[in-house]
Amino acid sequence: MRERNLWRALLAIFLVFGLVAAACGNDDDDEPGAAPAEEAPAAPAEEAPAAPAEEAPADAMPGEGVSVTQARANWTTGYMQAAIYHHLLEELGYEVSEPADLELAPANAYVAMAEGAFDFWVNSWYPNHDPFLNGEMPDGSLVNQHVSVVGQQINAGGLEGLLTNKSLVDEHGITTFDQIMNDDALFELYESVDPNPGDGVLQVLACIEGWGCKVALDETIELAGYSGRVEQLEAGGYDSLVAEMVSRTESDTPFIGYTWTPSGYVTQLIPGVNVMWLAHEADKVHDGSTDNPGFAVTAPAALGTDVCTNDPCFLYRNSADIKVTANNDFLVANPAAARLFELVQISVVDVALQNVLYDGGENTTDDVNRHAADWIAANRDAVDAWLAEARAATEYTPAPPPPPPAPFRVAVVAPSASNDLAFTQSMFDAVNALVASGDISEFAITDGTFIVEDAAAAIRGYAEEGYDLVIAHGSQYGGPLQEIAPDFPDVSFAWGTAVDTFGLPNVNSYSVRSDLGGYVNGVVAAQLTESNVIGVIGPIEVGDAKLYVDGFAAGATAQNPDVEVNIVYTGSFADVALAAEAAQSHISAGADVLTGSAQMVVGATGVAQENGVLWFGTQANQTALGDDIVVASQVYRWEVILSEVVDQVKGGTLGGTTFIMTFDGGGLEIQFNDAMDIPADVLASAEDTIAGLSDGSISTGQ
């Protein structure tokens, strides 16, 4: 057993120096050396801080008579760190509770710490835990007003991501998770041997329910557009999960699975040896546009292609700094403890080595405390210097919490209902997405203002109330806006779909290449029609409505020149009855597929459903109008360009820019109805068409 542990320890040393240090992006002199498993590694002399000018007596006990409640996180890879701090505080005279007696998950730890239920823990992962710091307390204050992040325990020491078989990476040239999702052959290779083969859904051996890593990956999958095609599958706990991945590695069976470092798991699943970190495309990682903006991935891990499938290596979580977080009242009352927290540094190598021992059976509380004591003994010179400086500390002032973001208020005036599943809802959803991400603090909307005079009054009213950005969401609002905007030079306005800013410094315009999604819908529709007759119901021949109609017709006839595309404009954006009449006329003429634009389409979809005719939507996802007839929808994700507008306004540029939304950056999406049985070759043709429109090899003619 001793030889086996030694071998694993040596392997861990190789692992950590070869890839964890690279992942952390640290220079060599930032990583202390490591000894074999029987010995705790000693910290190099240069890590010891300089002695303070006036030292306290070496036997001073600044914590004498003070009881401290310490918690630890509920993952074993942080146990030793908690024990180390526990013992060091005891050397300062504090009476410290056993951390194993209060084990918490981050979801409840931070509020409890802020409320004073316990004093500190050493298991914070930032920025992964940023959402908890920014959480709201029962009294309306934020957690970060009551706790502080202290010290530099393990900088950039935490990695989280997906692994896959190195043999498959080498054989198939796999570079990203997204390649697997978008390559039918690769997808089938993995899906055919997952726990539920043949269901068309790729099961990833992933994170456990209730953990942030599961939420972050779920949101990453959704934002990347893979919902319904990939899901996380629990394997009964991390030990079972790793055992399954090890088994698949040994049998060369394809898998995608989650892990993290530092942990003993990566001495069995060794990146660059039997597995590889599986990268994500840079534009498919979490962008922060959910209720969890702290999940946004802002930089790649510093991993080379010897251990990661791609360079840059974007994992689905940022590399994390592992730090202490403590209650502010405790820190102020105990400057010696606060100073100690500032000074202690623990090597990620040491943690990995202890994880090997823990996973090998040394896993009791007594074992963990012995590991911590061994570490302290081996690092005695550095520890004594930290303790000396802590004893000399006389005060601690918490850094002020980051100021809350300046309020940014946005108002929208729109012609139809917020839930119209069309033009207005597309903007309503977009603004709410930016509210969720924290970019917008307050959102008001006046919808149903089809009468231009009513809209003008609402636009002026919001400007008078001092909203930062007023969005006139309708091309019919240009005239009034041109008159109103000069009266409010400190308010930013945006309107669309349009491209004219009237030369005014506080007016932006926005539009959308709806012909692109229209073209894709047309390509698909031409393959699904059996009668070779397709009907199109347009409102008025302007703006994105006309672009969509023209693009749809171009795509359908390009796919099948024999298809007859009949187009009718009702002359109204809102007249549901006229849309219904137009739909009935198309069906009477033999159409078995329909499409249309604007809020009046609810009339057309009702007729389509009565007659069993397929429907293609635009502006918003219209599946709710009939999951048995709606094939696909072009979805406007206005938040992609609206976030640029907001950033510009916050930076002091109130107007003068025209924003055009396309497939690039995810502004346009084709969302298929999962309930429809759409042939795989049809779906593939849609993907190929989107790629061609994006790279310019296909043109809509617009």
Side-chain angles (χ1 to χ4, degrees):
M1 175 63 74
R2 175 174 174 170
E3 291 181 357
R4 183 169 179 265
N5 282 344
L6 176 59
W7 177 86
R8 293 180 69 195
L10 292 172
L11 181 57
I13 295 170
F14 159 77
L15 165 74
V16 174
F17 279 110
L19 65 98
V20 173
C24 299
N26 290 343
D27 296 330
D28 290 342
D29 60 359
D30 289 330
E31 290 289 341
E38 300 86 40
E39 303 174 16
E46 62 265 28
E47 280 202 354
E54 296 183 6
E55 294 186 359
D59 59 352
M61 293 290 187
E64 188 171 6
V66 178
S67 295
V68 179
T69 303
Q70 179 183 359
R72 75 180 184 189
N74 58 344
W75 51 88
T76 62
T77 55
Y79 285 0
M80 183 181 72
Q81 299 95 292
I84 288 171
Y85 282 81
H86 171 93
H87 293 313
L88 293 182
L89 283 177
E90 286 187 329
E91 292 198 37
L92 292 175
Y94 290 98
E95 182 180 336
V96 190
S97 67
E98 168 56 53
D101 294 341
L102 185 58
E103 188 168 291
L104 299 170
N108 50 30
Y110 286 89
V111 171
M113 191 190 317
E115 291 177 331
F118 68 94
D119 297 310
F120 78 100
W121 80 350
V122 305
N123 301 126
S124 292
W125 283 45
Y126 297 116
N128 298 4
H129 290 182
D130 282 351
F132 302 116
L133 279 184
N134 297 325
E136 189 170 308
M137 301 284 290
D139 63 2
S141 62
L142 299 182
V143 169
N144 64 23
Q145 295 174 268
H146 304 277
V147 303
S148 292
V149 181
V150 192
Q152 307 290 330
Q153 181 192 149
I154 309 177
N155 280 346
L159 281 178
E160 291 183 79
L162 300 177
L163 299 174
T164 192
N165 316 66
K166 183 178 187 300
S167 59
L168 294 182
V169 171
D170 294 341
E171 180 181 353
H172 298 280
I174 296 170
T175 58
T176 64
F177 175 78
D178 309 278
Q179 179 187 354
I180 296 171
M181 293 303 302
N182 294 307
D183 183 308
D184 289 343
L186 283 176
F187 185 88
E188 172 65 18
L189 177 68
Y190 280 86
E191 197 277 329
S192 64
V193 293
D194 72 17
N196 296 303
D199 63 356
V201 179
L202 176 60
Q203 277 90 36
V204 174
L205 301 170
C207 206
I208 294 174
E209 189 71 40
W211 288 59
C213 49
K214 177 173 173 50
V215 179
L217 184 54
D218 278 342
E219 292 187 357
T220 300
I221 289 168
E222 182 177 359
L223 291 170
Y226 305 140
S227 295
R229 298 187 62 231
V230 61
E231 65 183 8
Q232 297 190 63
L233 187 71
E234 289 190 32
Y238 289 121
D239 289 343
S240 299
L241 178 146
V242 171
E244 175 68 17
M245 289 193 282
V246 170
S247 173
R248 290 185 180 220
T249 299
E250 292 173 346
S251 64
D252 212 23
T253 302
F255 77 91
I256 298 172
Y258 165 84
T259 197
W260 77 92
T261 65
S263 73
Y265 297 139
V266 288
T267 62
Q268 303 173 70
L269 298 162
I270 309 171
V273 177
N274 57 2
V275 295
M276 297 288 282
W277 291 106
L278 183 57
H280 299 253
E281 296 288 349
D283 62 350
K284 295 295 186 180
V285 293
H286 203 297
D287 60 5
S289 61
T290 69
D291 291 339
N292 297 296
F295 290 162
V297 175
T298 55
L303 295 170
T305 52
D306 55 334
V307 293
C308 182
T309 57
N310 196 40
D311 186 8
C313 181
F314 280 94
L315 303 179
Y316 84 90
R317 302 293 294 270
N318 278 324
S319 298
D321 296 330
I322 303 174
K323 298 189 176 187
V324 177
T325 305
N327 178 278
N328 284 342
D329 292 339
F330 171 77
L331 292 171
V332 171
N334 296 278
R339 185 59 181 148
L340 181 70
F341 294 165
E342 290 178 330
L343 294 170
V344 175
Q345 295 185 38
I346 302 172
S347 165
V348 70
V349 177
D350 299 357
V351 176
L353 289 171
Q354 188 269 342
N355 290 169
V356 170
L357 299 177
Y358 188 96
D359 293 343
E362 298 182 25
N363 54 16
T364 68
T365 298
D366 287 343
D367 288 331
V368 172
N369 281 312
R370 187 182 72 256
H371 298 157
D374 289 346
W375 185 93
I376 291 170
N379 290 276
R380 195 75 245 182
D381 288 346
V383 165
D384 285 343
W386 297 335
L387 293 173
E389 195 163 341
R391 291 185 175 101
T394 58
E395 63 178 356
Y396 178 84
T397 302
F408 192 88
R409 306 167 68 214
V410 174
V412 173
V413 178
S416 52
S418 301
N419 61 349
D420 65 356
L421 293 175
F423 187 67
T424 297
Q425 183 164 349
S426 67
M427 181 57 72
F428 179 80
D429 291 345
V431 179
N432 275 314
L434 295 188
V435 171
S437 69
D439 293 303
I440 294 172
S441 58
E442 183 181 333
F443 170 34
I445 186 168
T446 299
D447 58 5
T449 53
F450 187 76
I451 298 174
V452 173
E453 290 77 9
D454 294 341
I459 294 168
R460 183 174 290 277
Y462 285 127
E464 290 173 344
E465 291 179 36
Y467 276 77
D468 297 283
L469 173 63
V470 179
I471 300 173
H473 191 52
S475 57
Q476 62 267 51
Y477 300 154
L481 183 61
Q482 191 173 4
E483 297 178 3
I484 295 169
D487 295 338
F488 301 93
D490 295 329
V491 175
S492 177
F493 298 86
W495 76 298
T497 57
V499 295
D500 191 357
T501 64
F502 313 120
L504 296 174
N506 61 335
V507 173
N508 292 298
S509 61
Y510 57 86
S511 191
V512 55
R513 284 289 308 277
S514 55
D515 56 306
L516 299 174
Y519 192 98
V520 177
N521 277 355
V523 166
V524 175
Q527 296 174 80
L528 298 183
T529 178
E530 296 179 358
S531 67
N532 272 3
V533 179
I534 298 174
V536 181
I537 302 107
I540 300 173
E541 292 186 72
V542 295
D544 67 300
K546 184 178 188 305
L547 274 177
Y548 174 75
V549 170
D550 291 345
F552 183 95
T557 55
Q559 177 67 32
N560 182 359
D562 295 331
V563 165
E564 179 183 340
V565 181
N566 297 322
I567 300 170
V568 172
Y569 282 97
T570 65
S572 170
F573 287 103
D575 196 319
V576 174
L578 286 178
E581 291 176 12
Q584 190 60 63
S585 296
H586 282 312
I587 293 171
S588 298
D592 61 353
V593 176
L594 295 177
T595 192
S597 180
Q599 58 269 27
M600 53 85 173
V601 298
V602 292
T605 56
V607 172
Q609 191 159 38
E610 290 173 2
N611 290 272
V613 169
L614 298 180
W615 177 264
F616 286 80
T618 187
Q619 299 177 331
N621 190 317
Q622 295 177 350
T623 302
L625 294 175
D627 60 9
D628 56 338
I629 62 164
V630 178
V631 177
S633 302
Q634 172 179 232
V635 176
Y636 296 174
R637 293 190 60 195
W638 289 117
E639 63 268 27
V640 170
I641 60 171
L642 185 56
S643 63
E644 297 182 49
V645 176
V646 170
D647 287 345
Q648 284 196 9
V649 175
K650 288 181 177 180
T653 302
L654 302 187
T657 304
T658 295
F659 298 85
I660 306 294
M661 194 160 65
T662 67
F663 283 126
D664 293 341
L668 288 180
E669 287 185 351
I670 301 296
Q671 295 183 2
F672 285 93
N673 178 3
D674 293 336
M676 299 288 288
D677 186 17
I678 304 169
D681 61 330
V682 174
L683 293 173
S685 72
E687 293 178 359
D688 291 343
T689 302
I690 292 171
L693 291 167
S694 298
D695 65 24
S697 59
I698 298 175
S699 172
T700 68
Q702 302 302 308

